[in-house]
Amino acid sequence: MPSGCRRLHLVCLLCILGASGQSVRADDCSSHCDLAHGCCAPDGSCRCDPGWEGLHCERCVRMPGCQHGTCHQPWQCICHSGWAGKFCDKDEHICTSQSPCRNGGQCVYDGGGEYHCVCLPGFHGHDCERKAGPCEQAGSPCRNGGQCQDDQGFALNFTCRCLAGFVGAHCEVNVDDCLMRPCANGATCLDGINRFSCLCPEGFAGRFCTINLDDCASRPCQRGARCRDRVHDFDCLCPSGYGGKTCELVLPVPDPATTVGTPLGPTSAMVVPATGPAPHSVGAGLLRISVKEVVRRQEAGLGESSLVALVVFGALTAALVLSTVLLTLRAWRRGICPPGPCCYPAPHYAPARQDQECQVSMLPAGLPLPPDLPLEPGKTTAL
């Protein structure tokens, strides 16, 4: 007896011994329950062992799937008369009762419920259901796993049912899955069978190469600098006093003694007041400043190339100032009236002379006229 059933018998026995009020019902259960295939429960019902069923555990359980059979022990399938097979599902009189062979085929019984059909010429199959049609005549014309269809041989022509990723009359053409250019950011598309893959350039990832990798994820910037991500690159916004790709360089602090009098750069501008000295004196002053600067730079220990550049810059500045002064004096001597309000017609209440002209002096207010520039008759000087 199985161990599980022994435990049930023990439980039933304890229940019977311990509950005197239920002794009558236990005796009734044992009288009608098949104790070889089950046991009595505390409530007086019959509890069956595995493989047995029924009110009194009198019926065995057949094999699952058994159709025309019975059992003497659990999980058996004993076929009834006229049936055969493991599950008793094969008719032993199949060839005599109703022949399964089609298209004029002859049924031959093989025993055990098995049979075979002898087909007429031009037909084949287990039941002679298929005809030697276009698919058989063409000799499996479909390629790349395609299935040939001809309505079981009765169609005039065959057709190929292609697998995904192939087209054509014989499934011979592989569909270019890269035709729609699914890969982004200049990635290379690799065609496959009903699929594609993207070969991403550096700095991108993902199936379609649309994910820009964060080059700041590794925190390359030093000195607490803020990192700015780019395409396969990064920039570090370094704090004051640091430089380099990752702010790893400490920039030197400029000496105030060597920065005083540094010549102006190409984008700097010099403003000269209108009431200052004459332009030629400005040029001379700039020249003297340049010479002093050369001496100062030489004392500070500058290189030869720096001194040459400083001298050339000073000479060019002085030449530019002197040329400006000469052009201004030349225009002044020729009496060219610069545009200004003094040349406008006089008001209506003051009769204007047709031959009257105005001349703008290039000298600042409060300075005497040069002795070699006398006023011409009919000329006025606007100060």
Side-chain angles (χ1 to χ4, degrees):
M1 183 180 296
S3 60
C5 191
R6 287 199 299 270
R7 285 196 297 269
L8 290 176
H9 279 291
L10 180 61
V11 171
C12 293
L13 182 60
L14 291 176
C15 291
I16 293 173
L17 294 177
S20 59
Q22 298 179 356
S23 59
V24 176
R25 285 190 300 173
D27 293 339
D28 295 340
C29 172
S30 60
S31 63
H32 66 265
C33 183
D34 189 352
L35 298 181
H37 305 143
C39 62
C40 294
D43 58 355
S45 63
C46 190
R47 182 173 297 177
C48 301
D49 293 338
W52 296 91
E53 60 184 0
L55 183 61
H56 308 293
C57 304
E58 76 282 0
R59 189 170 62 251
C60 62
V61 178
R62 297 183 303 171
M63 177 188 295
C66 185
Q67 297 184 13
H68 303 281
T70 184
C71 65
H72 300 305
Q73 294 295 329
W75 322 124
Q76 288 181 344
C77 186
I78 302 173
C79 297
H80 298 307
S81 176
W83 296 94
K86 182 178 180 180
F87 301 99
C88 301
D89 57 342
K90 298 183 181 300
D91 188 4
E92 291 184 344
H93 309 288
I94 187 170
C95 288
T96 58
S97 60
Q98 184 179 0
S99 177
C101 301
R102 301 165 56 182
N103 298 311
Q106 182 182 359
C107 181
V108 178
Y109 184 69
D110 298 331
E114 299 294 338
Y115 70 95
H116 70 274
C117 294
V118 179
C119 303
L120 295 177
F123 295 93
H124 63 280
H126 184 266
D127 296 332
C128 303
E129 75 279 4
R130 296 186 62 86
K131 180 182 178 181
C135 286
E136 186 175 350
Q137 294 174 3
S140 302
C142 301
R143 300 168 55 185
N144 297 311
Q147 182 182 1
C148 185
Q149 297 177 337
D150 59 358
D151 192 16
Q152 294 186 352
F154 293 92
L156 297 178
N157 298 309
F158 69 87
T159 57
C160 289
R161 184 178 181 181
C162 305
L163 296 178
F166 295 96
V167 293
H170 299 82
C171 307
E172 73 280 4
V173 180
N174 179 21
V175 177
D176 187 4
D177 299 288
C178 295
L179 191 61
M180 302 303 295
R181 297 182 179 179
C183 303
N185 297 310
T188 302
C189 183
L190 303 178
D191 180 40
I193 299 177
N194 195 31
R195 67 189 62 192
F196 66 90
S197 59
C198 294
L199 185 60
C200 302
E202 294 186 4
F204 292 96
R207 183 183 179 188
F208 304 99
C209 302
T210 55
I211 302 175
N212 180 22
L213 296 180
D214 187 8
D215 297 285
C216 295
S218 60
R219 298 180 180 179
C221 300
Q222 306 178 20
R223 319 290 184 181
R226 185 167 66 91
C227 182
R228 182 170 56 186
D229 181 41
R230 294 186 177 275
V231 178
H232 193 50
D233 197 6
F234 64 90
D235 290 335
C236 293
L237 303 179
C238 303
S240 179
Y242 298 97
K245 179 65 177 178
T246 59
C247 305
E248 74 281 3
L249 301 178
V250 179
L251 301 180
V253 179
D255 189 1
T258 60
T259 57
V260 175
T262 303
L264 299 176
T267 58
S268 303
M270 179 177 292
V271 180
V272 180
T275 58
H280 64 275
S281 61
V282 174
L286 289 176
L287 185 58
R288 287 195 298 272
I289 292 175
S290 301
V291 174
K292 291 180 180 180
E293 185 66 24
V294 170
V295 175
R296 184 179 303 173
R297 294 286 181 174
Q298 189 172 7
E299 292 177 355
L302 295 178
E304 182 179 356
S305 59
S306 300
L307 293 177
V308 172
L310 189 60
V311 171
V312 172
F313 178 76
L316 291 177
T317 304
L320 179 60
V321 172
L322 290 177
S323 61
T324 304
V325 171
L326 292 177
L327 292 176
T328 305
L329 292 178
R330 183 178 179 183
W332 185 27
R333 289 179 180 276
R334 292 184 178 180
I336 299 176
C337 178
C342 65
C343 293
Y344 291 165
H348 67 278
Y349 56 81
R353 294 174 54 186
Q354 299 295 330
D355 57 346
Q356 184 177 3
E357 299 177 0
C358 70
Q359 179 71 30
V360 178
S361 175
M362 303 303 294
L363 296 178
L367 295 181
L369 294 174
D372 55 345
L373 297 175
L375 292 176
E376 299 179 4
K379 306 287 186 174
T380 60
T381 302
L383 298 178

PDB file of all heavy atoms in Angstrom, residues 93-111:
ATOM      1  N   HIS A  93     -11.969  -1.922 -39.157  1.00  0.00           N
ATOM      2  CA  HIS A  93     -12.768  -2.168 -40.359  1.00  0.00           C
ATOM      3  C   HIS A  93     -12.804  -0.927 -41.245  1.00  0.00           C
ATOM      4  O   HIS A  93     -13.796  -0.684 -41.925  1.00  0.00           O
ATOM      5  CB  HIS A  93     -14.192  -2.579 -39.960  1.00  0.00           C
ATOM      6  CG  HIS A  93     -14.256  -3.693 -38.965  1.00  0.00           C
ATOM      7  ND1 HIS A  93     -13.957  -5.005 -39.285  1.00  0.00           N
ATOM      8  CD2 HIS A  93     -14.551  -3.697 -37.632  1.00  0.00           C
ATOM      9  CE1 HIS A  93     -14.083  -5.770 -38.218  1.00  0.00           C
ATOM     10  NE2 HIS A  93     -14.454  -4.996 -37.189  1.00  0.00           N
ATOM     11  N   ILE A  94     -11.734  -0.172 -41.211  1.00  0.00           N
ATOM     12  CA  ILE A  94     -11.733   1.098 -41.938  1.00  0.00           C
ATOM     13  C   ILE A  94     -11.809   0.895 -43.448  1.00  0.00           C
ATOM     14  O   ILE A  94     -12.441   1.673 -44.162  1.00  0.00           O
ATOM     15  CB  ILE A  94     -10.483   1.926 -41.545  1.00  0.00           C
ATOM     16  CG1 ILE A  94     -10.571   3.322 -42.156  1.00  0.00           C
ATOM     17  CG2 ILE A  94      -9.197   1.213 -41.905  1.00  0.00           C
ATOM     18  CD1 ILE A  94      -9.524   4.267 -41.639  1.00  0.00           C
ATOM     19  N   CYS A  95     -11.158  -0.129 -43.947  1.00  0.00           N
ATOM     20  CA  CYS A  95     -11.154  -0.345 -45.396  1.00  0.00           C
ATOM     21  C   CYS A  95     -12.487  -0.923 -45.887  1.00  0.00           C
ATOM     22  O   CYS A  95     -12.824  -0.771 -47.072  1.00  0.00           O
ATOM     23  CB  CYS A  95     -10.017  -1.288 -45.789  1.00  0.00           C
ATOM     24  SG  CYS A  95      -8.378  -0.532 -45.651  1.00  0.00           S
ATOM     25  N   THR A  96     -13.255  -1.571 -44.998  1.00  0.00           N
ATOM     26  CA  THR A  96     -14.511  -2.185 -45.421  1.00  0.00           C
ATOM     27  C   THR A  96     -15.712  -1.276 -45.155  1.00  0.00           C
ATOM     28  O   THR A  96     -16.678  -1.270 -45.925  1.00  0.00           O
ATOM     29  CB  THR A  96     -14.705  -3.517 -44.693  1.00  0.00           C
ATOM     30  OG1 THR A  96     -14.689  -3.291 -43.275  1.00  0.00           O
ATOM     31  CG2 THR A  96     -13.606  -4.498 -45.070  1.00  0.00           C
ATOM     32  N   SER A  97     -15.658  -0.505 -44.059  1.00  0.00           N
ATOM     33  CA  SER A  97     -16.799   0.346 -43.730  1.00  0.00           C
ATOM     34  C   SER A  97     -16.828   1.612 -44.598  1.00  0.00           C
ATOM     35  O   SER A  97     -17.832   1.908 -45.242  1.00  0.00           O
ATOM     36  CB  SER A  97     -16.767   0.714 -42.244  1.00  0.00           C
ATOM     37  OG  SER A  97     -15.562   1.412 -41.953  1.00  0.00           O
ATOM     38  N   GLN A  98     -15.756   2.344 -44.627  1.00  0.00           N
ATOM     39  CA  GLN A  98     -15.675   3.571 -45.429  1.00  0.00           C
ATOM     40  C   GLN A  98     -14.229   3.775 -45.824  1.00  0.00           C
ATOM     41  O   GLN A  98     -13.404   4.136 -44.979  1.00  0.00           O
ATOM     42  CB  GLN A  98     -16.211   4.772 -44.645  1.00  0.00           C
ATOM     43  CG  GLN A  98     -16.241   6.061 -45.464  1.00  0.00           C
ATOM     44  CD  GLN A  98     -16.798   7.225 -44.654  1.00  0.00           C
ATOM     45  OE1 GLN A  98     -17.160   7.050 -43.495  1.00  0.00           O
ATOM     46  NE2 GLN A  98     -16.884   8.375 -45.270  1.00  0.00           N
ATOM     47  N   SER A  99     -13.930   3.565 -47.078  1.00  0.00           N
ATOM     48  CA  SER A  99     -12.543   3.642 -47.534  1.00  0.00           C
ATOM     49  C   SER A  99     -12.054   5.093 -47.482  1.00  0.00           C
ATOM     50  O   SER A  99     -12.689   6.000 -48.011  1.00  0.00           O
ATOM     51  CB  SER A  99     -12.428   3.105 -48.964  1.00  0.00           C
ATOM     52  OG  SER A  99     -11.100   3.258 -49.419  1.00  0.00           O
ATOM     53  N   PRO A 100     -10.913   5.323 -46.838  1.00  0.00           N
ATOM     54  CA  PRO A 100     -10.369   6.684 -46.764  1.00  0.00           C
ATOM     55  C   PRO A 100      -9.614   7.101 -48.022  1.00  0.00           C
ATOM     56  O   PRO A 100      -9.240   8.273 -48.167  1.00  0.00           O
ATOM     57  CB  PRO A 100      -9.448   6.631 -45.563  1.00  0.00           C
ATOM     58  CG  PRO A 100      -8.965   5.215 -45.540  1.00  0.00           C
ATOM     59  CD  PRO A 100     -10.099   4.376 -46.056  1.00  0.00           C
ATOM     60  N   CYS A 101      -9.337   6.199 -48.937  1.00  0.00           N
ATOM     61  CA  CYS A 101      -8.540   6.517 -50.124  1.00  0.00           C
ATOM     62  C   CYS A 101      -9.381   7.327 -51.108  1.00  0.00           C
ATOM     63  O   CYS A 101     -10.556   7.016 -51.353  1.00  0.00           O
ATOM     64  CB  CYS A 101      -8.038   5.228 -50.783  1.00  0.00           C
ATOM     65  SG  CYS A 101      -7.012   4.212 -49.697  1.00  0.00           S
ATOM     66  N   ARG A 102      -8.775   8.363 -51.674  1.00  0.00           N
ATOM     67  CA  ARG A 102      -9.458   9.262 -52.594  1.00  0.00           C
ATOM     68  C   ARG A 102      -8.924   9.087 -54.003  1.00  0.00           C
ATOM     69  O   ARG A 102      -7.867   8.476 -54.207  1.00  0.00           O
ATOM     70  CB  ARG A 102      -9.290  10.708 -52.130  1.00  0.00           C
ATOM     71  CG  ARG A 102      -9.847  10.968 -50.718  1.00  0.00           C
ATOM     72  CD  ARG A 102      -9.360  12.259 -50.128  1.00  0.00           C
ATOM     73  NE  ARG A 102      -9.666  13.401 -50.999  1.00  0.00           N
ATOM     74  CZ  ARG A 102      -9.306  14.650 -50.737  1.00  0.00           C
ATOM     75  NH1 ARG A 102      -8.603  14.916 -49.624  1.00  0.00           N
ATOM     76  NH2 ARG A 102      -9.622  15.610 -51.560  1.00  0.00           N
ATOM     77  N   ASN A 103      -9.661   9.703 -54.934  1.00  0.00           N
ATOM     78  CA  ASN A 103      -9.269   9.702 -56.347  1.00  0.00           C
ATOM     79  C   ASN A 103      -9.053   8.292 -56.899  1.00  0.00           C
ATOM     80  O   ASN A 103      -8.109   8.016 -57.650  1.00  0.00           O
ATOM     81  CB  ASN A 103      -8.007  10.552 -56.564  1.00  0.00           C
ATOM     82  CG  ASN A 103      -8.216  12.014 -56.189  1.00  0.00           C
ATOM     83  OD1 ASN A 103      -9.200  12.624 -56.621  1.00  0.00           O
ATOM     84  ND2 ASN A 103      -7.306  12.562 -55.391  1.00  0.00           N
ATOM     85  N   GLY A 104      -9.950   7.373 -56.462  1.00  0.00           N
ATOM     86  CA  GLY A 104      -9.890   6.017 -56.997  1.00  0.00           C
ATOM     87  C   GLY A 104      -8.828   5.153 -56.377  1.00  0.00           C
ATOM     88  O   GLY A 104      -8.518   4.066 -56.904  1.00  0.00           O
ATOM     89  N   GLY A 105      -8.247   5.542 -55.271  1.00  0.00           N
ATOM     90  CA  GLY A 105      -7.211   4.737 -54.626  1.00  0.00           C
ATOM     91  C   GLY A 105      -7.797   3.519 -53.930  1.00  0.00           C
ATOM     92  O   GLY A 105      -8.946   3.527 -53.495  1.00  0.00           O
ATOM     93  N   GLN A 106      -7.016   2.437 -53.807  1.00  0.00           N
ATOM     94  CA  GLN A 106      -7.449   1.190 -53.197  1.00  0.00           C
ATOM     95  C   GLN A 106      -6.893   1.087 -51.797  1.00  0.00           C
ATOM     96  O   GLN A 106      -5.686   1.266 -51.567  1.00  0.00           O
ATOM     97  CB  GLN A 106      -6.988  -0.007 -54.035  1.00  0.00           C
ATOM     98  CG  GLN A 106      -7.454  -1.352 -53.479  1.00  0.00           C
ATOM     99  CD  GLN A 106      -6.941  -2.505 -54.304  1.00  0.00           C
ATOM    100  OE1 GLN A 106      -6.242  -2.294 -55.309  1.00  0.00           O
ATOM    101  NE2 GLN A 106      -7.294  -3.735 -53.886  1.00  0.00           N
ATOM    102  N   CYS A 107      -7.788   0.797 -50.805  1.00  0.00           N
ATOM    103  CA  CYS A 107      -7.396   0.724 -49.397  1.00  0.00           C
ATOM    104  C   CYS A 107      -6.918  -0.685 -49.077  1.00  0.00           C
ATOM    105  O   CYS A 107      -7.578  -1.680 -49.422  1.00  0.00           O
ATOM    106  CB  CYS A 107      -8.583   1.099 -48.510  1.00  0.00           C
ATOM    107  SG  CYS A 107      -8.208   1.078 -46.734  1.00  0.00           S
ATOM    108  N   VAL A 108      -5.804  -0.822 -48.396  1.00  0.00           N
ATOM    109  CA  VAL A 108      -5.219  -2.093 -47.986  1.00  0.00           C
ATOM    110  C   VAL A 108      -5.015  -2.023 -46.467  1.00  0.00           C
ATOM    111  O   VAL A 108      -4.306  -1.137 -45.963  1.00  0.00           O
ATOM    112  CB  VAL A 108      -3.893  -2.370 -48.706  1.00  0.00           C
ATOM    113  CG1 VAL A 108      -3.289  -3.674 -48.211  1.00  0.00           C
ATOM    114  CG2 VAL A 108      -4.093  -2.398 -50.214  1.00  0.00           C
ATOM    115  N   TYR A 109      -5.664  -2.978 -45.715  1.00  0.00           N
ATOM    116  CA  TYR A 109      -5.557  -2.977 -44.256  1.00  0.00           C
ATOM    117  C   TYR A 109      -4.256  -3.652 -43.837  1.00  0.00           C
ATOM    118  O   TYR A 109      -3.929  -4.742 -44.289  1.00  0.00           O
ATOM    119  CB  TYR A 109      -6.764  -3.711 -43.643  1.00  0.00           C
ATOM    120  CG  TYR A 109      -6.785  -3.681 -42.137  1.00  0.00           C
ATOM    121  CD1 TYR A 109      -7.018  -2.493 -41.460  1.00  0.00           C
ATOM    122  CD2 TYR A 109      -6.573  -4.852 -41.399  1.00  0.00           C
ATOM    123  CE1 TYR A 109      -7.048  -2.466 -40.082  1.00  0.00           C
ATOM    124  CE2 TYR A 109      -6.604  -4.817 -40.015  1.00  0.00           C
ATOM    125  CZ  TYR A 109      -6.834  -3.611 -39.358  1.00  0.00           C
ATOM    126  OH  TYR A 109      -6.849  -3.567 -37.984  1.00  0.00           O
ATOM    127  N   ASP A 110      -3.526  -3.008 -42.941  1.00  0.00           N
ATOM    128  CA  ASP A 110      -2.230  -3.507 -42.497  1.00  0.00           C
ATOM    129  C   ASP A 110      -2.273  -4.131 -41.118  1.00  0.00           C
ATOM    130  O   ASP A 110      -1.248  -4.640 -40.635  1.00  0.00           O
ATOM    131  CB  ASP A 110      -1.203  -2.361 -42.482  1.00  0.00           C
ATOM    132  CG  ASP A 110      -0.969  -1.772 -43.856  1.00  0.00           C
ATOM    133  OD1 ASP A 110      -1.126  -2.507 -44.852  1.00  0.00           O
ATOM    134  OD2 ASP A 110      -0.652  -0.555 -43.949  1.00  0.00           O
ATOM    135  N   GLY A 111      -3.427  -4.138 -40.451  1.00  0.00           N
ATOM    136  CA  GLY A 111      -3.503  -4.689 -39.109  1.00  0.00           C
ATOM    137  C   GLY A 111      -3.253  -3.621 -38.053  1.00  0.00           C
ATOM    138  O   GLY A 111      -2.510  -2.657 -38.284  1.00  0.00           O
TER     139      GLY A 111
END
